[in-house]
Amino acid sequence: MSNSSAAAVSNLGALDAAHHLHPFSDMKKLNATGTRIIERGEGCYIFDNHGKRYLDGFAGLWCVNIGYGRKEIAEAVMRQMNELPYYNTFFGTTTPPAVLLAQKITSHAGPNINRVFFTGSGSEANDTWFRMARVYWGAMGKPTKKAIIARKNGYHGSTVAGASLGGMKWMHEQGDLPIEGIHHIDQPFWYAEGGDLSPEEFGLKMARQLEEKIDELGEDNVAAFVAEPIQGAGGVIVPPATYWPEIARICKAKNILLVADEVICGFGRTGHWFGHQHFGVEPDLAPIAKGLSSGYLPIGGVMVSDRVGNVLVEEVGDFNHGFTYSGHPVCAAAALENLRIIEDEKLVERVHDDIGPYLAAGLKSLEDLPIVGQVQQVGLMAAVQLAEDKASRKRFEDKEKAGVTVRNHCLENGLVLRATGDRMLFSPPLVITHAEVDQMIDITRKGLEHAWKVLTA
């Protein structure tokens, strides 16, 4: 690196420390250690401003499904920029990309979902359905149905409503959350909380907490239940097979809306277009984002079932909600091209039939290590649970140290993973090759072996 290049790198770091507040960061600590500056991406790899290459085992933030550097997206964006860079969808107007994108999304959502309300992010999408559910019940003559039930350790964004819907106490501690009307039940995390129950028994027990909470609050006071098909930020927690069918049964029996948060699980990550399809349930509302555009431009939305959509159209009148960038034409153009690539390259089918099973086999090979307590995987969404004693499911006392030790060793060796406590999370681009999976597993194995030595020394 030339002296001038080194100076430029150093200057970027100084500017970042002086002017840029990062999300979910302790800025005092970050400024002391310095930020990692990522300059470019290609396929499944990212490159920092020192030229170091990393295999991105996390697809950015669960989202770069088609990989980096797809010129087709850039060209679609440029065409739309030149034609119409922006117009709103207020006041009786729309744009061709917004219309076509809504149709394309619903073509994969099943026969009972035929409408989309566009937002700029997954957090905005969760705020949107929150209001939409209450407006729906008001139009149905049930204005007391306002309470929302969600799950502990669930994640639904970081806006006021989104963070309230999420069940993470450390988020609730800032900003006096959750807001009124949101209630939480336990998560279906068998490894940590299942005790002596079988996974199947535990799944039913956790699902039936929803029924108990509805009875406690009163059916006429509950609007909806929201959950991620597979918990993402909470640790890629795959619920037991008994869980989701029982949740769907309870929602139907108790007449509350079922909301599946598809922000992470949607657009092929689970080997289906949407995560709820993997579990065989049909939601009434489903927030989406991330893989919708593979992160190339910010866009989100809410998929709306006919049950809710028909009432919004026929009974509500003005739905007084929306955003300047709802259905932004350039973002919609990027998303349309992204979905075309997913379709044409059969990436959903590839995850289901080929690369998902290949990743599963690679991760299963890690189970011979004493530190690996459990592997959970659906499609290209997986977690390796760390354990101090795998036979008894005993976890390390310092869970954060355990996960960070693995993560940092992998990062030093050119692999980006995420650690949520003592769970190592995998969410690579859907285009990852067999050779790249092999590389990911090899580096992970070395990281796990290193952590075992450190943690048991």
Side-chain angles (χ1 to χ4, degrees), residues 65-401:
N65 289 3
I66 62 170
Y68 297 93
R70 299 298 295 254
K71 294 191 183 337
E72 306 100 303
I73 301 277
E75 291 165 357
V77 165
M78 182 58 73
R79 286 194 300 270
Q80 186 59 45
M81 279 280 195
N82 287 328
E83 189 166 308
L84 180 68
Y86 169 75
Y87 201 70
N88 65 75
T89 54
F90 288 55
F91 315 124
T93 63
T94 191
T95 66
V99 174
L100 295 174
L101 181 59
Q103 185 278 328
K104 177 61 68 177
I105 291 167
T106 58
S107 73
H108 293 293
N112 297 317
I113 294 178
N114 289 290
R115 295 180 177 92
V116 179
F117 187 105
F118 286 115
T119 69
S121 69
S123 290
E124 286 182 3
N126 276 290
D127 279 36
T128 295
W129 77 253
F130 179 88
R131 292 191 68 193
M132 195 176 280
R134 290 179 166 183
V135 169
Y136 166 80
W137 285 118
M140 292 292 288
K142 296 181 180 291
T144 62
K145 286 178 78 71
K146 293 180 179 178
I148 309 293
I149 301 172
R151 296 192 302 205
K152 298 173 184 176
N153 201 35
Y155 185 82
H156 303 289
S158 60
T159 51
V160 170
S164 295
L165 291 166
M168 296 179 171
K169 289 184 178 179
W170 51 274
M171 291 182 69
H172 292 168
E173 289 169 357
Q174 295 180 326
D176 195 23
L177 302 177
I179 57 176
E180 186 178 352
I182 296 175
H183 308 265
H184 294 88
I185 59 174
D186 289 335
Q187 61 181 336
F189 189 2
W190 173 81
Y191 190 90
E193 301 171 13
D196 294 330
L197 296 176
S198 70
E200 292 74 21
E201 292 169 334
F202 180 71
L204 287 174
K205 180 181 178 181
M206 292 301 97
R208 288 169 184 167
Q209 279 196 11
L210 173 60
E211 195 163 38
E212 294 166 7
K213 181 60 72 172
I214 294 169
D215 290 344
E216 174 191 327
L217 297 171
E219 182 179 317
D220 287 340
N221 297 320
V222 180
F225 170 70
V226 61
E228 305 151 271
I230 297 169
Q231 285 163 259
V236 184
I237 297 167
V238 182
T242 52
Y243 181 80
W244 271 109
E246 184 69 357
I247 287 288
R249 180 196 70 78
I250 292 166
C251 288
K252 184 176 182 179
K254 296 293 185 177
N255 194 28
I256 70 169
L257 299 177
L258 175 56
V259 183
D261 186 334
E262 294 282 359
V263 171
I264 287 173
C265 294
F267 304 102
R269 178 127 323 262
T270 65
H272 294 78
W273 274 94
F274 299 101
H276 67 266
Q277 294 166 341
H278 173 79
F279 293 103
V281 298
E282 293 186 353
D284 296 296
L285 296 162
I288 53 176
K290 293 190 184 291
L292 173 56
S293 70
S294 283
Y296 276 61
L297 282 174
I299 187 169
V302 180
M303 301 193 303
V304 182
S305 69
D306 293 343
R307 173 188 180 180
V308 176
N310 290 343
V311 171
L312 290 176
V313 171
E314 300 297 333
E315 306 294 338
V316 169
D318 286 349
F319 178 46
N320 297 312
H321 181 85
F323 307 96
T324 300
Y325 301 125
S326 290
H328 190 292
V330 178
C331 299
L336 271 171
E337 185 63 13
N338 173 65
L339 298 186
R340 182 199 65 77
I341 290 170
I342 292 174
E343 289 177 337
D344 289 358
E345 298 183 8
K346 300 187 183 305
L347 295 183
V348 178
E349 295 85 348
R350 180 176 187 266
V351 171
H352 187 276
D353 300 330
D354 175 24
I355 199 65
Y358 192 80
L359 174 64
L363 291 173
K364 188 168 181 60
S365 73
L366 301 174
E367 291 181 339
D368 64 347
L369 297 173
I371 196 173
V372 176
Q374 182 194 48
V375 170
Q376 286 200 300
Q377 171 270 338
V378 174
L380 289 187
M381 193 174 182
V384 171
Q385 172 68 56
L386 308 183
E388 185 175 358
D389 180 69
K390 61 198 305 178
S392 63
R393 306 206 312 260
K394 180 183 178 184
R395 300 160 76 187
F396 290 98
E397 184 175 349
D398 191 338
K399 298 175 182 59
E400 296 296 329
K401 179 182 178 182

